[in-house]
Amino acid sequence: MRPVTEHDIRASFVNCSKGEAKRLSLPKDFTDLPWDDLDFLGWQDPGAPGRAYLVTMRDDGLVGISLRVTAGAARGFTSRSLCSLCLTTRTGGGVTLMTARRTGEAGRQGNSVGQYLCGDLDCSLYVRGKKQSVAGGGLDESLSLEEKVARVQTNLDTFLDKVTR
Ligand SMILES: [Zn+2]
């Protein structure tokens, strides 16, 4: 994705209050992110445990969503789980259930969308092999990099559609 500014990020959030968007902490390495390798910017709030954010460029502009991280308490340390965006398999809680409040009336009624995601939200880096998962690899390694990147974007679109529909 193209580099974006702090102002753009804070203005992009669609499912949280303006106050929350103003107060949230940016990623620690914000000024030094590998933008070229990112399909989306995702991070856990360094100042507020249990909160995470995902920002990406869509056809109609930059869209950011706020996520609640649900501790995967029921999952054993050795259990493997699959990220729904990049399909990387990870063990030991590396994949976490995150929920996003839906936008509009649905959100006001308390509706949210849950999705299993890499806890560090570095899916873009996993599919490009820039970061390795402990469990090693995804499902079908026969796909080309372009196909894997396209799949992340498709999965992300589906998720964002569910949140903003
Ligand atoms: Zn992932």
Side-chain angles (χ1 to χ4, degrees):
M1 65 188 280
R2 289 223 316 269
V4 292
T5 64
E6 171 172 354
H7 176 267
D8 291 341
I9 288 177
R10 291 192 192 282
S12 74
F13 281 87
V14 294
N15 72 335
C16 67
S17 70
K18 285 201 163 57
E20 184 183 347
K22 215 170 121 184
R23 285 189 305 271
L24 63 84
S25 311
L26 293 181
K28 270 185 282 210
D29 45 359
F30 180 65
T31 52
D32 193 28
L33 289 172
W35 296 101
D36 287 348
D37 290 328
L38 296 179
D39 303 303
F40 64 88
L41 176 61
W43 74 102
Q44 292 214 19
D45 194 320
R51 294 196 187 191
Y53 313 100
L54 194 160
V55 175
T56 192
M57 189 59 82
R58 304 196 84 189
D59 292 342
D60 48 358
L62 201 65
V63 173
I65 57 169
S66 164
L67 298 156
R68 291 292 131 107
V69 182
T70 310
R75 296 181 163 263
F77 188 73
T78 54
S79 71
R80 298 157 75 92
S81 33
L82 189 68
C83 171
S84 63
L85 290 186
C86 63
L87 305 191
T88 298
T89 310
R90 305 177 65 184
T91 55
V95 168
T96 317
L97 179 62
M98 300 199 192
T99 54
R101 192 166 66 102
R102 290 181 57 194
T103 57
E105 187 56 31
R108 277 190 288 278
Q109 289 174 12
N111 289 308
S112 60
V113 182
Q115 199 93 0
Y116 282 94
L117 304 172
C118 290
D120 49 20
L121 293 150
D122 279 336
C123 304
S124 311
L125 302 181
Y126 289 113
V127 295
R128 288 168 176 77
K130 307 265 172 176
K131 210 168 166 179
Q132 302 290 330
S133 89
V134 181
L139 277 187
D140 36 17
E141 293 300 313
S142 59
L143 287 186
S144 70
L145 176 59
E146 287 73 23
E147 287 167 326
K148 287 185 195 172
V149 168
R151 189 173 58 186
V152 170
Q153 286 167 345
T154 304
N155 292 339
L156 180 58
D157 264 341
T158 307
F159 177 39
L160 293 178
D161 281 344
K162 281 190 213 160
V163 174
T164 58
R165 189 175 50 207

